[in-house]
Amino acid sequence: MEGIYLTIVLCPLAASIVAGLFGRQIGRAGAHSITIAAVAVSFLLSAYVLKAIAVDGAATYNAAVYRWAAVGALTMEVGFLVDHLTALMMTVVTFVSLCVHVYTIGYMHDDDGYQRFFSYISLFTFAMLMLVMSNNFLQLFFGWEAVGVVSYLLIGFWYKRDTAIFANMKAFLVNRVGDFGFLLGIAALLMYTGSLDYVQVFGHAERLSGESIEIVSGMQWSALTVACICLFVGAMGKSAQMPLHVWLPDSMEGPTPISALIHAATMVTAGIFMVARMSPLFEHSVTALSVVIVIGATTAFLTGLLGLVQNDIKRVVAYSTLSQLGYMTVALGASAYAAGIFHLATHAFFKALLFLAAGSVIIALHHEQDMRNMGGLRKYMPITYWTSLIGSLALIGFPGFSGFFSKDILIEAVHASTTPGAHFAYWCVLIGVFVTALYSFRMFFLVFHGEERIDPHVKSHLHESPWVVTVPLIALAIPSIVIGWLTVGPVLFGGFFDEAIFVLEEHDVVGELGAEFHGSLAFVTHAFVASPALYLAAAGVLVAWFLYMYRPGLPGQISEKIDVIHRLLVNKYYFDWFNENVLARGTRCLGGGLSRFGDQMVIDGGIVNGSARVVALLSIVVRNLQSGYLYHYAFAMIIGLAALIGWLVVEL
Amino acid sequence: MIDLQLAAAEVFMVCAICVVLLVDVWLPDERRLLTFRLALLSLVGAAVCSAYYLPNGSVTAFSESFVTDPASAVMKIFAYLIVGLVFIYSRDFLMRAGLFKGEFFILALFALLGIMVMLSAHSMLTMYLGLELLALSQYALVAFDRDSPIAAESAMKYFVLGAIASGTLLYGISFIYGVTGTIQLGAIAAHFSQPGAITVPALLGLAFIIVGVAFKFGAVPFHMWLPDVYQGSSTPVTLFIGSVPKIAAFALAWRILSESLGDMHGSWQTMLAVLCVLSLVIGNIVAIAQSNIKRMLAYSTISHVGFIFMGFIAGTEDGLQAAMFYTLVYTLMAAAAFGMVILLSRSGFDAENLDDFKGLNARSPWFAFVMLMVMFSMAGVPPFVGFYAKLVVLGSVLDAGLIWLAITGVLLAVIGAFYYLRVVWFMYFVDPVDDSPLDAALDFRVVISANGLGLLALGLFPGVLLDLCARVIG
């Protein structure tokens, strides 16, 4: 199996190097052929691995393949841990990546950086696979940073645009905050367990929950809680949880395929994956779980609201992504890791689908992204229309669609959870369902229905996108419909994650739900009588229809009425304002002040130049001792001799 | 081996000097090069003698007043090498200055003979004889350019101060003789190894001897002669005085302080430490104010003496090895540095000022680079050998527990780096004052390049010389 794992990881890397360094030689067709072939190989092998583990029951693989360094008792290795969780992630990542690769052929057709783009997304696939397949914290961190770098490169892919450069800088800086926490968490674990290996560290979890750490004097904190919260800060950066979410909407400056791949389906879910992987640690710290659930719930609700006021089609989807990431985080906090991962997987399909559909619209309209200049596209782009509808229904949790299962179970799990803050989280995610339906269908109606507000010049040659764009849409639409129905039973309630995810007996909400689960069909019918979520979603769609189809003038009047709230939403709760004016400006003022006072005055002026001036002055004074007179010289010698003898006398 | 074989190199050198002297007398001026060649040849012959008649271990001769051991042989061979460099660097300069006389070579060889005797001295008297032979030759060398008033002044100063130092040393020796009843170094050591042998008269003698040693090294406050003599002499003489006699100074300290008065280490350690710190401070700080390169290098010498002292202060075998390593490395660096000063000089023009190095890179990138290697090595920048020299002496004082001394050394080395790097800055970043190309004979160019590259090579493979020092001494 080791050979297979290495092939899965290294194929995209090799393709990326070839496409990146020899892009000019192999040409456009060569670049996309080789990267697509490599990712296809990775996908097929991942699917094979998933089958071997999930169906045939192959044992968990956990071994090092290369020892990088050994320092004292600490060994740093490259190794793979492949179990149910990893296999699922690998398959999702490579599948979405494959779809995006194909789609890119159409989307980036006229772009000068064609080969560069393929090199980057292949490199991303490599990095993401390293992240999910790692069996130790060091490699996890490597993958974590590597996906961050590729994300940075891709957000700024159109590096001549100022907004793109601003966005990628912002993403990078915000992620630094998260990564710093992540690194501290890893360091804390290393300090207390002396190991970077998952299995060894997890073995110490119970002992760690008893140890305490004193960071601020007089305050004793559980070492495990501190480590877990630090790790979660990393997840907040990567998975864009409040208040580190600000970079994700701006990341839409990058080309749409990477918005789908990196900023919706895979990289941003790395935080969710990481917390699920660390479940043996988080389970032992109720405080950490509580932090997770509160942050997740706040993000899920507040960012959903922001989706209501956006006019840029990609930004609506971006806020939707933020909100859904919040849902997943809430599931983690409720100890329903399996539900979180399940939502992650279904979300990867339908959110990638929505992004690619948005991209399809954007190409058709010649890079127009403002929904106020769209409308009535249904008849021009039937495939995009129907796949978007599927994606939207999956997102709002229409019964039977994949999002329905994952979200419904998630909400039920939060309802059943005893984690402090779960009650607050329950209401957030429940109202969030209404908000989700409202912004999703607002977008859907504005783009595909209603009056045509398209530029007449563009309209004259408006047509459906080419097959390289529509095939991935269809390929993603199918799992968006069926994957939940097919897999909810075995994956969530069939003990699929038993080995990979650890849940304490008293936190096992998914297990409780499993007792009431009697097949997918029963689950759907049960939802009609038991869950308010379904009716909330329906209400959301109806309101959207009423506001944007039946009475299109109404939204404007409403926003004038509640001007304060509207302004709050348009300004995104003033997070950006705060970051730019308080944090960024404050830091720069502090830096400038320290530079002027501390560096230039004290260090350069006082210590460095000051001591140099003293030495120079001294040298001019002392050189005068060298008078040139012989008797002075002889006198100095006699003085010296006298001093030596005097010293002897004193010592005796 | 019989006594004469043990002194074969010294005997050969005396004969060779006589031959050179006689030949030179009969040579017309235009054939003076023969003297130069014979002088070089006598160095080669002496080297052969030293290497061939090398006993295993330490063997004494002439009623225990002379000793031959591997350490002295290694240092003698090193001295021949440096004197050879001096001759090659000096030849063209002397010719242009009209000073290409046999006396230069003969005096230098006599001085070398004095150094050889000092290295092999095993009694106070032999040591003193060698010292006086060296000193008298040097006084004459300084005054060698007899039409130059400044040279005559320097020679006078050097002579008077040197006489005071010699007298002091001799006075100290007489004390030791009075206490121990012997002038033979081994017997003196044996005497002081008895408990209670260190008496007040012995300590008094020690203080006088230290003055002599310190004067020979040029340690503060017995350093006053050094800048004036370096500046006053013509550059080839400075080159000679600045390099080889440091080996003699090392021999003096090694044979007398370490070997025969080793048991009084506790008493002389502090005295040397004070001289060491003073030398480091005065040497490094005053060098900054110098605009004359020869004076700057004189103060640089004083600061290097501080580092050599550190090895003795440690008082361990490692310290002694470190001091020997530092001394040998220093002579190589000094030879290269003064060689560069000679290279920049032309007929009727002595390159004396720092300004003459301005823009050297534009005039000759290669020799600018050679000078850069020399300066970096003197400043103690890795990977040049000067770095390892400082490293081993600092290591030895650290091992001896003198942390404060090591810190002082490092701090002053940092201050010292300033004036070495200033030369580099002048060469690379300042426009030349005069941009005539350098002219020098081929052998000069090759030898000085090898000299500079040697500093780099020894820095890359410091083990070669370090192991040699460790094997032969201690």
Side-chain angles (χ1 to χ4, degrees):
Chain A
M1 289 302 263
E2 187 182 308
I4 293 178
Y5 299 142
L6 279 173
T7 315
I8 292 173
V9 170
L10 295 179
C11 262
L13 176 65
S16 162
I17 292 172
V18 172
L21 298 183
F22 306 103
R24 201 167 298 180
Q25 284 80 0
I26 60 176
R28 290 174 161 241
H32 73 233
S33 307
I34 188 168
T35 49
I36 288 174
V39 174
V41 169
S42 288
F43 166 62
L44 292 175
L45 288 174
S46 300
Y48 168 75
V49 169
L50 182 63
K51 176 183 167 289
I53 287 185
V55 181
D56 305 341
T60 296
Y61 176 91
N62 180 14
V65 293
Y66 173 69
R67 169 172 288 193
W68 179 46
V71 181
L74 174 67
T75 53
M76 303 182 190
E77 289 167 336
V78 177
F80 298 133
L81 169 64
V82 183
D83 54 13
H84 289 77
L85 177 60
T86 310
L88 181 70
M89 286 299 288
M90 283 159 66
T91 313
V92 170
V93 167
T94 50
F95 177 70
V96 178
S97 177
L98 182 61
C99 289
V100 167
H101 270 76
V102 174
Y103 178 91
T104 301
I105 300 175
Y107 192 87
M108 299 298 283
H109 189 260
D110 307 318
D111 202 282
D112 290 336
Y114 193 77
Q115 289 96 321
R116 182 161 60 95
F117 191 86
F118 274 100
S119 172
Y120 284 170
I121 54 176
S122 257
L123 184 64
F124 170 78
T125 311
F126 158 75
M128 191 68 201
L129 287 170
M130 284 294 275
L131 192 163
V132 297
M133 291 171 73
S134 167
N135 76 340
N136 62 73
F137 284 95
L138 190 73
Q139 189 181 335
L140 174 71
F141 188 69
F142 165 79
W144 194 267
E145 292 298 304
V147 292
V149 167
V150 183
S151 158
Y152 166 81
L153 290 171
L154 283 167
I155 295 171
F157 184 78
W158 287 313
Y159 53 84
K160 286 175 184 160
R161 283 189 198 168
D162 286 344
T163 48
I165 295 305
F166 181 80
N168 76 351
M169 189 63 87
K170 186 168 171 183
F172 201 74
L173 290 177
V174 173
N175 270 296
R176 294 271 65 70
V177 177
D179 292 352
F180 187 62
F182 189 49
L183 203 54
L184 282 179
I186 294 177
L189 290 174
L190 178 64
M191 183 170 90
Y192 280 100
T193 66
S195 174
L196 287 171
D197 188 83
Y198 287 164
V199 176
Q200 288 183 27
V201 171
F202 295 163
H204 290 280
E206 210 156 353
R207 176 176 67 78
L208 272 189
S209 62
E211 290 206 25
S212 59
I213 185 172
E214 192 177 291
I215 295 175
V216 182
S217 66
M219 303 271 278
Q220 295 287 339
W221 289 326
S222 154
L224 187 68
T225 299
V226 170
C228 283
I229 289 178
C230 283
L231 289 175
F232 182 64
V233 170
M236 284 164 67
K238 198 82 23 200
S239 291
Q241 298 298 303
M242 276 187 167
L244 299 182
H245 67 287
V246 290
W247 65 274
L248 189 63
D250 285 30
S251 78
M252 298 300 132
E253 287 297 333
T256 306
I258 66 110
S259 301
L261 174 63
I262 300 184
H263 304 122
T266 56
M267 183 188 85
V268 291
T269 61
I272 311 298
F273 163 80
M274 188 267 288
V275 176
R277 175 55 90 207
M278 303 303 153
S279 56
L281 301 176
F282 280 84
E283 272 303 284
H284 287 288
S285 172
V286 176
T287 316
L289 286 177
S290 185
V291 169
V292 172
I293 202 168
V294 170
I295 298 262
T298 313
T299 308
F301 181 66
L302 291 183
T303 56
L305 286 179
L306 292 180
L308 293 172
V309 297
Q310 298 298 318
N311 289 317
D312 182 316
I313 182 168
K314 281 179 73 182
R315 284 189 183 247
V316 176
V317 190
Y319 280 107
S320 157
T321 306
L322 281 172
S323 173
Q324 296 304 307
L325 287 167
Y327 273 86
M328 296 175 213
T329 309
V330 167
L332 301 173
S335 290
Y337 304 100
I341 295 293
F342 188 57
H343 193 53
L344 184 163
T346 57
H347 173 260
F349 295 117
F350 62 69
K351 188 50 61 66
L353 170 61
L354 282 172
F355 261 119
L356 296 188
S360 175
V361 170
I362 292 168
I363 327 172
L365 296 179
H366 295 270
H367 293 275
E368 173 62 73
Q369 302 195 1
D370 194 329
M371 292 193 295
R372 286 169 296 194
N373 300 330
M374 296 180 187
L377 287 176
R378 177 187 175 183
K379 61 173 183 274
Y380 300 100
M381 311 181 71
I383 300 176
T384 307
Y385 171 75
W386 284 107
T387 48
S388 291
L389 182 59
I390 291 168
S392 300
L393 289 176
L395 171 62
I396 66 168
F398 187 78
F401 282 57
S402 60
F404 164 75
F405 291 100
S406 55
K407 197 185 279 183
D408 228 38
I409 289 166
L410 197 154
I411 293 169
E412 286 301 314
V414 176
H415 193 41
S417 168
T418 54
T419 309
H423 203 63
F424 163 72
Y426 177 67
W427 286 105
C428 281
V429 293
L430 203 59
I431 302 171
V433 171
F434 171 77
V435 177
T436 308
L438 184 57
Y439 68 66
S440 296
F441 275 82
R442 169 181 174 260
M443 177 179 89
F444 185 75
F445 291 139
L446 280 177
V447 173
F448 292 104
H449 290 274
E451 100 185 79
E452 296 176 14
R453 300 175 297 272
I454 313 157
D455 185 77
H457 177 68
V458 174
K459 197 164 145 186
S460 59
H461 40 86
L462 190 60
H463 58 81
E464 181 59 278
S465 299
W467 69 270
V468 286
V469 172
T470 52
V471 166
L473 291 181
I474 296 165
L476 287 164
I478 294 166
S480 296
I481 303 175
V482 298
I483 200 95
W485 186 286
L486 295 181
T487 59
V488 62
V491 169
L492 271 186
F493 305 119
F496 185 81
F497 288 125
D498 276 2
E499 284 178 36
I501 289 174
F502 170 80
V503 183
L504 285 177
E505 191 78 25
E506 62 266 31
H507 293 169
D508 192 8
V509 285
V510 177
E512 284 172 32
L513 292 179
E516 298 163 14
F517 181 79
H518 308 291
S520 304
L521 190 61
F523 189 81
V524 173
T525 48
H526 178 70
F528 280 97
V529 289
S531 168
L534 192 58
Y535 298 103
L536 282 168
V541 176
L542 271 178
V543 171
W545 175 81
F546 181 77
L547 288 178
Y548 295 96
M549 298 294 295
Y550 188 72
R551 295 278 306 277
L554 204 54
Q557 294 170 13
I558 295 176
S559 58
E560 274 173 32
K561 279 266 162 55
I562 48 167
D563 188 44
V564 178
I565 296 177
H566 185 252
R567 214 175 321 143
L568 184 69
L569 291 180
V570 168
N571 286 307
K572 297 166 271 181
Y573 308 121
Y574 295 95
F575 269 109
D576 281 338
W577 178 89
F578 178 81
N579 286 342
E580 278 159 32
N581 290 297
V582 180
L583 291 184
R585 188 171 297 169
T587 314
R588 275 164 54 197
C589 284
L590 184 67
L594 285 179
S595 160
R596 261 190 310 280
F597 176 75
D599 198 56
Q600 290 172 14
M601 269 176 64
V602 176
I603 296 179
D604 271 2
I607 299 175
V608 176
N609 290 337
S611 62
R613 240 179 318 222
V614 168
V615 169
L617 206 69
L618 213 61
S619 80
I620 289 167
V621 173
V622 179
R623 77 185 284 199
N624 290 331
L625 288 180
Q626 195 78 18
S627 60
Y629 293 117
L630 184 55
Y631 53 91
H632 285 172
Y633 295 2
F635 189 61
M637 287 176 68
I638 301 302
I639 297 276
L641 175 65
L644 287 185
I645 293 170
W647 168 255
L648 278 182
V649 172
V650 171
E651 239 205 354
L652 279 174
Chain B
M1 276 196 259
I2 60 165
D3 289 0
L4 279 176
Q5 279 176 332
L6 288 171
E10 285 76 7
V11 174
F12 173 84
M13 187 54 83
V14 174
C15 302
I17 292 169
C18 294
V19 171
V20 176
L21 187 57
L22 285 174
V23 170
D24 185 65
V25 170
W26 300 102
L27 278 181
D29 267 355
E30 62 272 20
R31 299 191 57 195
R32 196 70 66 199
L33 265 180
L34 187 61
T35 314
F36 167 75
R37 292 195 182 117
L38 281 176
L40 281 183
L41 202 62
S42 52
L43 292 175
V44 174
V48 170
C49 291
S50 287
Y52 188 76
Y53 294 104
L54 180 62
N56 286 325
S58 170
V59 182
T60 54
F62 304 113
S63 312
E64 302 219 336
S65 56
F66 189 88
V67 65
T68 301
D69 52 14
S72 62
V74 165
M75 280 186 274
K76 279 177 200 169
I77 292 171
F78 223 89
Y80 309 147
L81 174 73
I82 304 293
V83 174
L85 291 179
V86 170
F87 286 171
I88 292 170
Y89 294 159
S90 309
R91 186 193 56 206
D92 289 356
F93 182 96
L94 292 172
M95 282 179 171
R96 282 195 303 257
L99 291 171
F100 195 66
K101 305 264 191 271
E103 287 87 337
F104 177 79
F105 300 100
I106 289 154
L107 286 170
L109 289 178
F110 268 121
L112 176 62
L113 181 62
I115 294 167
M116 292 159 70
V117 170
M118 287 173 78
L119 279 167
S120 277
H122 200 245
S123 92
M124 292 287 194
L125 207 56
T126 324
M127 184 61 81
Y128 187 73
L129 272 177
L131 181 65
E132 282 303 287
L133 181 55
L134 168 65
L136 288 169
S137 311
Q138 281 183 288
Y139 304 147
L141 270 175
V142 174
F144 171 64
D145 182 6
R146 57 179 187 185
D147 295 332
S148 157
I150 182 169
E153 182 194 324
S154 309
M156 199 61 197
K157 283 179 182 166
Y158 190 19
F159 174 69
V160 172
L161 297 174
I164 296 174
S166 281
T168 319
L169 179 68
L170 205 54
Y171 194 51
I173 288 174
S174 73
F175 267 94
I176 297 295
Y177 174 67
V179 171
T180 63
T182 175
I183 54 167
Q184 198 269 329
L185 298 186
I188 294 173
H191 176 87
F192 284 116
S193 64
Q194 300 159 5
I198 302 170
T199 55
V200 176
L203 289 173
L204 216 51
L206 177 70
F208 282 100
I209 287 178
I210 283 181
V211 171
V213 172
F215 178 83
K216 206 63 224 158
F217 267 111
V220 178
F222 311 101
H223 69 290
M224 297 293 215
W225 60 277
L226 217 131
D228 288 13
V229 169
Y230 273 36
Q231 188 188 4
S233 317
S234 65
T235 315
V237 177
T238 315
L239 165 61
F240 181 85
I241 293 177
S243 53
V244 212
K246 292 294 172 283
I247 296 179
F250 174 82
L252 187 64
W254 166 45
R255 291 290 188 202
I256 293 188
L257 288 183
S258 293
E259 286 201 340
S260 71
L261 302 180
D263 284 308
M264 295 167 79
H265 174 252
S267 303
W268 53 259
Q269 184 185 39
T270 325
M271 300 191 205
L272 277 200
V274 171
L275 299 182
C276 164
V277 172
L278 283 175
S279 304
L280 286 172
V281 171
I282 300 286
N284 279 315
I285 288 183
V286 181
I288 291 175
Q290 304 304 320
S291 57
N292 180 299
I293 179 95
K294 284 154 87 177
R295 275 188 99 80
M296 187 197 96
L297 286 172
Y299 284 102
S300 143
T301 303
I302 294 169
S303 75
H304 284 294
V305 164
F307 280 106
I308 294 175
F309 271 11
M310 282 188 190
F312 290 106
I313 290 164
T316 55
E317 222 167 73
D318 283 348
L320 198 58
Q321 288 158 12
M324 174 175 168
F325 180 73
Y326 202 111
T327 309
L328 298 185
V329 166
Y330 171 73
T331 54
L332 266 182
M333 296 192 296
F338 286 110
M340 282 303 303
V341 178
I342 293 180
L343 177 67
L344 289 186
S345 310
R346 294 188 314 280
S347 53
F349 169 75
D350 274 7
E352 291 225 315
N353 291 316
L354 279 174
D355 287 355
D356 298 324
F357 281 86
K358 281 183 180 165
L360 184 60
N361 185 46
R363 295 167 66 190
S364 167
W366 171 246
F367 288 110
F369 180 67
V370 172
M371 188 63 178
L372 175 135
M373 291 196 285
V374 178
M375 288 296 115
F376 274 13
S377 184
M378 284 198 165
V381 177
F384 299 98
V385 67
F387 166 73
Y388 288 96
K390 285 199 170 56
L391 189 69
V392 289
V393 290
L394 288 170
S396 69
V397 289
L398 274 184
D399 287 343
L402 299 166
I403 298 168
W404 65 272
L405 186 59
I407 292 175
T408 314
V410 170
L411 284 181
L412 287 156
V414 171
I415 293 177
F418 169 78
Y419 56 88
Y420 298 123
L421 294 182
R422 183 170 58 186
V423 175
V424 174
W425 178 63
F426 278 167
M427 291 192 300
Y428 283 87
F429 303 110
V430 179
D431 290 334
V433 178
D434 108 90
D435 45 9
S436 54
L438 299 178
D439 60 329
L442 182 67
D443 57 347
F444 188 113
R445 289 164 179 267
V446 171
V447 171
I448 199 159
S449 302
N451 198 167
L453 287 173
L455 299 178
L456 178 60
L458 278 175
L460 293 176
F461 307 102
V464 181
L465 191 56
L466 269 174
D467 286 348
L468 185 68
C469 293
R471 249 205 337 273
V472 298
I473 206 163

